[in-house]
Amino acid sequence: MPSPSVQFSLDERHPHHIAEVIETSTTGFLAQCLEPEELTFPIMPAFGSWVKATDEDSGNTIFAVVSYATTMPIDSIHRARALGLSLGELREQQPQIFAMLTTEFQAAI
């Protein structure tokens, strides 16, 4: 399942396309959730939910179960820390936080 090589604008993206596969193996894949239009966290599938991916080369559809999900800093050197702010306060006072985090999930085929 290669990752799509074409970047889609938010207007061109299918409404159910929530992530892009960034790693694959014979037993599963890792996908990075796509950034939302507004300052909020990306849509993350629930633990245990079914997801599907399409192999662009073969056209095969792969079904998998979400086995792990995380939102973490893009920078692996600096850990995220609690600021004690609501989501609205984060948007107002620290909007850069949303660009500094990534949301990923692993799925077992």
Side-chain angles (χ1 to χ4, degrees):
M1 284 175 284
S3 298
S5 58
V6 179
Q7 294 295 317
F8 298 101
S9 75
L10 293 174
D11 295 334
E12 297 171 351
R13 190 165 72 200
H14 188 280
H16 297 298
H17 185 190
I18 62 167
E20 183 175 320
V21 174
I22 58 174
E23 285 183 26
T24 62
S25 71
T26 56
T27 60
F29 59 82
L30 173 68
Q32 184 175 7
C33 295
L34 300 174
E35 297 298 322
E37 294 180 42
E38 63 281 340
L39 287 178
T40 188
F41 295 107
I43 296 171
M44 181 188 316
F47 179 77
S49 63
W50 287 94
V51 292
K52 72 176 182 176
T54 303
D55 182 334
E56 292 181 346
D57 291 336
S58 69
N60 291 335
T61 300
I62 296 93
F63 292 94
V65 176
V66 176
S67 58
Y68 179 80
T70 184
T71 297
M72 60 188 177
I74 293 172
D75 178 359
S76 62
I77 296 171
H78 299 93
R79 291 190 63 171
R81 49 175 231 170
L83 298 175
L85 302 174
S86 70
L87 193 56
E89 290 169 328
L90 273 176
R91 284 187 197 107
E92 183 180 310
Q93 298 176 25
Q94 302 285 328
Q96 73 280 4
I97 296 268
F98 297 95
M100 296 168 56
L101 299 172
T102 184
T103 301
E104 298 175 348
F105 65 91
Q106 292 178 358
I109 296 173

